[in-house]
Amino acid sequence: MAFVARVKPRAIGLRGRWPSQVQAPRRMYSQHPAHHTTPEHPLRVAVIGSGPAGFYTTYKLMAKIQGTKVDMYESLPVPFGLVRFGVAPDHPEVKNCQEKFEEVASSPDFNFIGNVSVGTKSDHPDGLTLPLASLFRHYNAIIFAYGAAQDRKLGIPGEDQLKGVYSAREFVGWYNGLPEHANLNPDLTQGDEAVVIGQGNVALDVARMLLEDVDVLRKTDIAAHALETLSQSRVKRVHVVGRRGPMQAAFTIKEVRELMKLSDVSFHPVDTSLLPTDLKSLPRAPRRLMEMLAKGTTATSQSPSETSKSWSLDFCLTPKAFSPSSSSPESTQLASTTFERTTLSPSPFDPNAYALPTGETLTLPSSIAFRSIGYKSTPLPEFSDINIPFDERRGIISNDGHGRVQHEERTRGAEMSHGSFPGLYCAGWVKTGPTGVIASTMENAFATADAIIEDWVSRTPFLNVDRKVHGWEGVRSEVLRSGDEKRVVDWQGWRRIDEAERQRGKERGSSREKFTRTGEMLNVLG
């Protein structure tokens, strides 16, 4: 197998060698006469990431292959990924999926390994880091479900130089209590106008947090530091800007409706030339969305002059530069954002229309701006040594669309074809890119689980199937040093943190007050 021949011992072994008790790489991929689980020889799976993709894949896998043992690795002491740190605090109903995840975690065949990063250095000083290579030796399958931890950049002047320019990903993490963004401290007091670049649901979440009544947010699980900052905000006007039109926008009707229903917040009319006149001919979802925008545009109940705050959907604008005040060009504080107007071809009503530049520019005053043009996944550092291909352009692990990690190999006829890495799979955004909602992530994860089940039943090669492996027990004995074990958080440890957060919230009159520092979380455990 070509992949095995290219594996470098220094990449797989600890300290540049293979430990004597660990078998060489070639034996990892040998076939087994019959893949079947028994109490003595269960299917052992490592899941890297504890968000929806990881949990839903685990759920279906454990339900369909009896006796499967799953160890779930999470770099933070707390689980649930974007459900905890990405879902807006005023959307508690979206977090109901945690009940299913709790059900999965209650199984004696499930093991949560929190505060442990795999393959990449921990983002916080209290965490542990394990080499990805150690997992190869102690599992039959590894599922990469670690999501998208970076955001795409605009690449325009002022983006990295001026104060007041933030990524939506960082802002969302900040108000949701993600430890790595606890120190973001966005300054919302420099002016009253904000720009959000991008028109997906995350962009509308950002706009809603800037415009929502702080007293409403007090009852949610929003981070205490965010509540304090938002209570001092001077922002009164929010532009949500996109380079195409309403028929091409990525937001959904739910998010638009919520913004239009905010108390003492009005909606600026959209350019009606971008709205189809024959709405009845549209499919149901876009028809309802266009009807809502049309209704909001013609509504007379609240005009921007009659409310304390307002927002708009600004279409057909592409960002060109962030600028400081013209009266103080040496200032490092954002004062305005310049856009170029676009036109849509072949038609503004074509859902697949693309934007063409017109050369005409527009400058919007903005003391604060957020780019919200998408998240992206990154490869684990060890991928290059183990020859796991990563599509940098799309920000995904190369896979067959069903979750099997793939690589290119040359056939006997010297042609290139795709082959699958035995036992390696991916799920969620690192498989498809950052798209969809939790329901689509569930379908994505189930598809990966189906691929694993199909491969196991059909006796496709997996990792280490010719010998018994011990999962976390094997990894722990091989890698951890004295004292490291105390820093690992299990599910019972998470429940203690969860209980402490709920109690803090009860005292504040909210559903939960999150710990925003990993040290605080670990202090709960003693």
Side-chain angles (χ1 to χ4, degrees):
M1 192 175 297
F3 166 56
V4 177
R6 294 196 298 268
V7 173
K8 302 174 183 178
R10 66 174 176 81
I12 297 292
L14 300 174
R15 299 183 181 89
R17 63 183 177 82
W18 283 88
S20 59
Q21 73 272 26
V22 179
Q23 298 186 16
R26 288 185 183 277
R27 293 182 60 81
M28 289 183 181
Y29 304 103
S30 57
Q31 294 200 43
H32 194 270
H35 294 335
H36 61 277
T37 56
T38 66
E40 296 77 24
H41 195 163
L43 168 62
R44 287 197 179 272
V45 179
V47 177
I48 302 175
S50 69
F55 265 104
Y56 280 126
T57 306
T58 298
Y59 164 70
K60 188 161 190 181
L61 200 56
M62 293 175 66
K64 295 297 183 179
I65 302 181
Q66 190 173 4
T68 297
K69 305 286 187 183
V70 175
D71 293 331
M72 182 173 285
Y73 291 84
E74 168 57 52
S75 61
L76 290 170
V78 295
F80 304 143
L82 277 182
V83 175
R84 178 181 170 97
F85 296 117
V87 174
D90 58 346
H91 284 174
E93 73 284 353
V94 179
K95 302 182 183 185
N96 289 339
C97 59
Q98 291 180 186
E99 297 177 5
K100 173 59 67 177
F101 304 160
E102 290 276 359
E103 179 185 324
V104 172
S106 67
S107 169
D109 292 327
F110 176 89
N111 184 28
F112 177 70
I113 304 164
N115 203 36
V116 177
S117 295
V118 176
T120 184
K121 189 173 178 7
S122 175
D123 291 325
H124 57 90
D126 307 300
L128 294 172
T129 301
L130 302 179
L132 173 61
S134 64
L135 271 61
F136 275 70
R137 294 187 285 274
H138 298 287
Y139 291 94
N140 303 124
I142 300 171
I143 302 171
F144 299 103
Y146 57 82
Q150 290 191 8
D151 56 277
R152 300 186 184 280
K153 304 192 76 171
L154 295 165
I156 62 176
E159 183 175 15
D160 297 320
Q161 295 79 30
L162 295 179
K163 297 176 182 177
V165 181
Y166 302 93
S167 81
R169 180 186 64 84
E170 292 172 341
F171 186 65
V172 169
W174 170 77
Y175 67 61
N176 274 318
L178 181 62
E180 67 180 279
H181 298 315
N183 295 324
L184 185 67
N185 298 323
D187 188 351
L188 304 179
T189 65
Q190 291 296 315
D192 60 3
E193 293 203 40
V195 163
V196 183
I197 298 173
Q199 292 185 331
N201 285 340
V202 173
L204 267 61
D205 280 347
V206 170
R208 196 174 65 258
M209 289 299 104
L210 293 172
L211 296 169
E212 179 66 274
D213 185 337
V214 173
D215 287 335
V216 173
L217 295 176
R218 292 186 197 281
K219 301 174 184 179
T220 72
D221 65 354
I222 189 172
H225 59 236
L227 198 60
E228 177 65 22
T229 298
L230 289 168
S231 68
Q232 299 172 12
S233 172
R234 291 178 53 200
V235 174
K236 303 295 183 184
R237 172 78 165 91
V238 178
H239 299 265
V240 183
V241 186
R243 61 188 177 87
R244 298 194 292 170
M247 282 294 293
Q248 298 82 37
F251 53 71
T252 56
I253 192 170
K254 178 178 182 292
E255 279 66 29
V256 175
R257 183 189 297 117
E258 287 181 334
L259 271 166
M260 288 190 174
K261 288 185 175 181
L262 289 181
S263 176
D264 198 27
V265 177
S266 58
F267 176 62
H268 291 259
V270 301
D271 181 354
T272 54
S273 68
L274 296 174
L275 298 176
T277 54
D278 184 14
L279 298 182
K280 293 182 180 180
S281 65
L282 297 176
R284 182 174 184 271
R287 183 186 75 246
R288 293 178 63 220
L289 183 56
M290 294 306 106
E291 288 173 344
M292 174 157 287
L293 293 181
K295 181 179 179 181
T297 294
T298 58
T300 58
S301 58
Q302 281 189 324
S303 68
S305 62
E306 298 172 329
T307 58
S308 64
K309 298 178 182 180
S310 66
W311 71 288
S312 61
L313 289 167
D314 298 58
F315 298 108
C316 295
L317 296 173
T318 187
K320 303 304 290 185
F322 296 110
S323 304
S325 172
S326 57
S327 61
S328 180
E330 295 183 1
S331 171
T332 59
Q333 174 61 45
L334 174 69
S336 63
T337 307
T338 299
F339 297 87
E340 181 177 11
R341 294 190 185 277
T342 64
T343 185
L344 299 174
S345 179
S347 161
F349 312 130
D350 183 343
N352 298 313
Y354 52 90
L356 295 175
T358 65
E360 181 184 352
T361 60
L362 170 71
T363 298
L364 296 176
S366 45
S367 59
I368 191 167
F370 303 89
R371 64 174 180 268
S372 183
I373 57 171
Y375 292 13
K376 68 175 182 178
S377 300
T378 56
L380 298 183
E382 291 176 76
F383 277 7
S384 59
D385 286 334
I386 306 177
N387 291 305
I388 296 177
F390 191 89
D391 187 330
E392 293 282 359
R393 184 183 64 83
R394 298 176 61 196
I396 63 171
I397 296 173
S398 297
N399 69 91
D400 67 349
H402 301 285
R404 299 177 181 90
V405 177
Q406 287 196 317
H407 63 99
E408 287 189 336
E409 58 185 13
R410 194 170 297 280
T411 65
R412 290 183 179 179
E415 297 178 350
M416 296 303 295
S417 67
H418 289 91
S420 296
F421 286 113
L424 300 189
Y425 300 86
C426 55
W429 285 1
V430 77
K431 168 187 171 184
T432 62
T435 182
V437 294
I438 290 178
S440 54
T441 297
M442 178 183 69
E443 295 175 2
N444 169 316
F446 284 176
T448 294
D450 286 337
I452 298 171
I453 294 164
E454 178 183 335
D455 291 350
W456 187 256
V457 171
S458 64
R459 304 178 186 179
T460 297
F462 275 68
L463 299 170
N464 306 305
V465 290
D466 60 350
R467 65 187 180 89
K468 185 175 182 179
V469 289
H470 299 278
W472 169 238
E473 295 299 323
V475 173
R476 179 173 59 183
S477 62
E478 178 184 308
V479 179
L480 295 193
R481 298 169 299 180
S482 176
D484 282 348
E485 187 106 16
K486 295 179 181 178
R487 297 157 68 187
V488 178
V489 179
D490 60 14
W491 198 255
Q492 290 304 314
W494 149 243
R495 283 181 169 171
R496 290 169 61 188
I497 295 171
D498 177 45
E499 183 179 353
E501 289 184 339
R502 291 178 184 274
Q503 181 58 38
R504 280 158 48 100
K506 184 177 180 181
E507 294 169 0
R508 194 184 80 176
S510 65
S511 60
R512 168 193 306 271
E513 183 173 339
K514 296 173 183 174
F515 294 109
T516 59
R517 313 280 178 178
T518 53
E520 295 174 335
M521 299 173 188
L522 298 176
N523 285 341
V524 172
L525 309 181

